[in-house]
Amino acid sequence: MIQPSIPKGTRDFPPAVMRKRQFILDTIRVIFERYGFQPLETPSMENLATLEGKYGEEGDQLMFRVLDNGEILEKARDAADTRQLVSRLSSKALRYDLTIPFARFVVMNQHQLVFPFRRYQVQPVWRADRPQKSRYREFYQCDADIIGTDSLLCEIELLQLLDEALTALGLKDAGIRINHRSLLAGLAGLTGRPEMLPEITIAIDKLDKIGWSGVSEELLLRGMDSRAIQVVANFIAIRGDHQKVLESLRALFPEGSPGHPGVVGLTGILENSYAGLGSRVLIDLSLARGLHYYTGTIIEALPPEGVKTGSIAGGGRYDDLTGLFGLKGISGVGISFGVDRIYDALEELGLFPPDQDSRTRVLFLNLGEEGMQQSYRLLQRMRQAGTPAEIYPSQAKMDRQLKYADKNRIPYVVMIGGSELEAGKLSLKDLSTGQQTLISAEELLGWSF
Amino acid sequence: MIQPSIPKGTRDFPPAVMRKRQFILDTIRVIFERYGFQPLETPSMENLATLEGKYGEEGDQLMFRVLDNGEILEKARDAADTRQLVSRLSSKALRYDLTIPFARFVVMNQHQLVFPFRRYQVQPVWRADRPQKSRYREFYQCDADIIGTDSLLCEIELLQLLDEALTALGLKDAGIRINHRSLLAGLAGLTGRPEMLPEITIAIDKLDKIGWSGVSEELLLRGMDSRAIQVVANFIAIRGDHQKVLESLRALFPEGSPGHPGVVGLTGILENSYAGLGSRVLIDLSLARGLHYYTGTIIEALPPEGVKTGSIAGGGRYDDLTGLFGLKGISGVGISFGVDRIYDALEELGLFPPDQDSRTRVLFLNLGEEGMQQSYRLLQRMRQAGTPAEIYPSQAKMDRQLKYADKNRIPYVVMIGGSELEAGKLSLKDLSTGQQTLISAEELLGWSF
């Protein structure tokens, strides 16, 4: 018999981990609901036509494809290459993110939906990445999007939602950074190499990881001259409070220039008179968020200082996501929480609330038939009143039963043995203090656990 | 551009459906927790070695296999048949149920777990079944199991949990049926053809669908003579309250006979003095629950009369599930809720609680910059106080904003326009009655929505 195992890069979530994950997801979900987002789930498998070509070359390679069922031998014959073989044997793949399936859903249901449509979605996604620390082949995404309006109020709401969720998770020191894709286009214009926008975006996206020397080296390799690279350096060096940064940007990008929409956007988000985000959100002109479908505002949250995980949430505005499926001119904006990284950050900072280990408050020991009958009736009354409780299922040695309570972090045990039966009472023991009290059944049912 | 679609047999769950599903799952989950079950999740993909051969020939065919990534062309060459081809190209498959992954988890974590281990698990599973009404290729299972004890108390607890969950769902008229695998073995002995236990099990399992004439025909085809078939007929005709049925069974299966453990088991579950299940649970000697791993008690819940879905929950005791992975002698018992069928039953009976459509209680209309600023601040105070609320993101026509509230079933709108600003008040409109009230901000924040 081979020792059983699970696929590389996947995880079991045992109860203690599940409860902590549920704390994170429940916290975020409640806030999504408060902001009017509505739940959606899409199938784990999507047709290849829906997914292919949406995540770049790399995405197509990292997708998990599902084999068609039935007789496939003949189809496999004489395939010219792996790509052709795969396309003959597989017509479905596992979800790679939640955004493309959301766009597909919106297009398929455009006549039933009321726009603007606010949805949230919490489901696993799958990527055949090389597994490494905090990178898994199956992981949850936790997204909220508003689609069907280009109002900046949506950016404002999402930033406040982000702040509120991080605060509720105990991460109110997490930094929130913002940028705008038009500013990056403006920067590319300033360098005199507007066609190099993708290269500039990819390079400065790595600033956190490889530092400025790495970024400038990469730009040089891509054929940018040192004068242009200096323009990039000067640009991302613009820092400070948002009034100061916006002032510099206004000077760089006058009306009509490619960077101007970014100035207008960030001004509208940060300098309104009601939301008060200015003190919470930092403009970071080096923020790029990879080569996503984003076209406007981009947003990222970093963990509190000292925590080594990367960004714990991110998002942005996209102007033509549903255009991929034929529905043009629908603008949307969304935010995504990195559940695994938030988990790591909370663990590292010791921020999970206590008592996530067990819900069960009371274990009835099993000390013999007569006591058991009474225990069982009380157990059922406690459960019906909403208190999670258990009874040890067999008359094992007392030691073993107590060890069960201890290992499962059940805080109280109830014992009904010979002397308790005689007294018409029961013993309640607090396992944290060792204190044992003789009380009546009514007292037990009124006890605050 | 091709019209986007989703794979056959899969579903999107839009918000209104999601909320109803969440009602079902949350209801069951709360009760699982009250009974001391702990949450577990396992990966969507399992290694083929874990899954293959565990669900019979049919299961192996209906599994969704995941293609290995990377260069697979060479591996596909000269495969003798589809089976060989598949085994060369795929080393993982999607979860087919929650039970085998649970057994695999228990074996892998046997030294960390405290037995008896009570776990619940709510996750999707995948089967390449031919899609038809209420049968999908991706569907949720919702299971609770206790492993590591053969105490009948576990059966009793699961039956009470089942009753409590069905009641909480509004299905307290659902019938709960029970049988025992030993009784079926006993029956096979009574026919004189003990080796035909599998055939008898498969045949009587179809009684609901094909009637007795179908069952007897099938047994005849399988080579059973009419005298033996009459024994089966007489056996499954034993009906009535459990005292009467148990009496007949005691006469048929004396101590030492293969059916006797079933008599002892059902007696222990139904005739104890504390649980009082006798009036709630019916012995049904034709209950077979397919050819599962069950070895002892088997349990099934049927929807209330008149609802045409099949069983809405089922379970039973298995004596050697982890033995599949090398850990012998661990008995367990479990129950599984059929979420899709429960959904259909609640829908058919109109039993979903009202107001599952939307959580958002209030929509602030967007009537101009000045009113909007005040609206936004109030909106945020309401959200922080826990009331789900929204603001319409742009100054669209009033009609359109009201239609948004109506279609999303948001019960109240708040309007802050010129006259309200002048009065220092706001208008609150109840969309169900049409009644509109001029109130202060403080009154709004104190309103009970």
Side-chain angles (χ1 to χ4, degrees), chain A residues 28 31-37 116-119 144-147 149-166 176 178 265 268-270 272 274-277 280-281 297 299 317 333-335 337, chain B residues 360 362-366 372 375-384 387-394 404 410:
Chain A
I28 298 173
I31 293 171
F32 283 167
E33 295 262 353
R34 270 191 216 157
Y35 276 76
F37 290 91
F117 177 54
R118 306 161 79 92
R119 85 87 173 77
D145 288 80
I146 309 171
I147 196 163
T149 170
D150 59 7
S151 166
L152 285 179
L153 213 49
C154 299
E155 270 91 338
I156 293 170
E157 285 194 281
L158 283 177
L159 285 164
Q160 292 205 303
L161 180 155
L162 177 58
D163 181 32
E164 206 172 309
L166 293 173
I176 300 178
I178 191 174
I269 294 165
L270 297 173
N272 63 66
Y274 47 91
L277 283 166
R280 184 65 184 97
V281 177
T297 322
I299 297 167
R317 178 170 288 281
V333 57
I335 186 98
F337 287 85
Chain B
T360 301
V362 178
L363 175 71
F364 285 81
L365 299 193
N366 197 329
M372 200 276 284
S375 293
Y376 194 84
R377 286 201 201 90
L378 282 169
L379 168 73
Q380 286 303 95
R381 287 185 62 187
M382 288 185 75
R383 284 173 172 168
Q384 275 150 24
T387 304
E390 292 178 44
I391 188 164
Y392 199 86
S394 61
Y404 176 87
I410 301 173

Side-chain angles (χ1 to χ4, degrees), chain B residues 299-312:
Chain B
I299 298 167
E300 193 167 270
L302 293 176
E305 267 185 57
V307 177
K308 276 183 218 80
T309 63
S311 68
I312 55 178

Side-chain angles (χ1 to χ4, degrees), chain A residues 117-257:
Chain A
F117 177 54
R118 306 161 79 92
R119 85 87 173 77
Y120 72 88
Q121 193 168 351
V122 183
Q123 289 191 281
V125 303
W126 296 267
R127 297 180 187 180
D129 258 323
R130 204 158 49 85
Q132 47 182 280
K133 190 185 177 312
S134 295
R135 182 179 293 177
Y136 303 99
R137 294 186 150 190
E138 173 176 43
F139 57 98
Y140 272 77
Q141 286 191 342
C142 178
D143 286 16
D145 288 80
I146 309 171
I147 196 163
T149 170
D150 59 7
S151 166
L152 285 179
L153 213 49
C154 299
E155 270 91 338
I156 293 170
E157 285 194 281
L158 283 177
L159 285 164
Q160 292 205 303
L161 180 155
L162 177 58
D163 181 32
E164 206 172 309
L166 293 173
T167 303
L169 290 166
L171 296 171
K172 73 174 187 313
D173 294 336
I176 300 178
R177 307 191 298 172
I178 191 174
N179 197 5
H180 196 288
R181 277 288 161 92
S182 295
L183 297 175
L184 297 176
L187 165 63
L190 294 179
T191 64
R193 303 286 300 272
E195 80 287 359
M196 283 192 71
L197 173 58
E199 288 80 4
I200 295 173
T201 304
I202 291 173
I204 68 172
D205 198 35
K206 299 180 193 161
L207 185 63
D208 283 348
K209 281 183 204 144
I210 61 177
W212 171 249
S213 65
V215 173
S216 64
E217 203 171 309
E218 178 162 333
L219 290 173
L220 201 65
L221 272 168
R222 302 267 173 197
M224 195 171 250
D225 64 34
S226 58
R227 194 209 56 86
I229 293 175
Q230 190 54 46
V231 173
V232 176
N234 295 344
F235 184 78
I236 64 177
I238 302 173
R239 284 164 192 271
D241 61 41
H242 69 270
Q243 286 93 341
K244 211 182 108 193
V245 176
L246 287 173
E247 208 172 293
S248 311
L249 291 173
R250 268 178 219 115
L252 283 173
F253 303 124
E255 215 169 323
S257 73

Side-chain angles (χ1 to χ4, degrees), chain A residues 44 71 82 138 157 383, chain B residues 44 71 82 138 157 376 383:
Chain A
S44 300
E71 272 305 321
T82 288
E138 173 176 43
E157 285 194 281
R383 284 173 171 168
Chain B
S44 299
E71 273 304 321
T82 287
E138 174 176 42
E157 286 194 280
Y376 194 84
R383 284 173 172 168

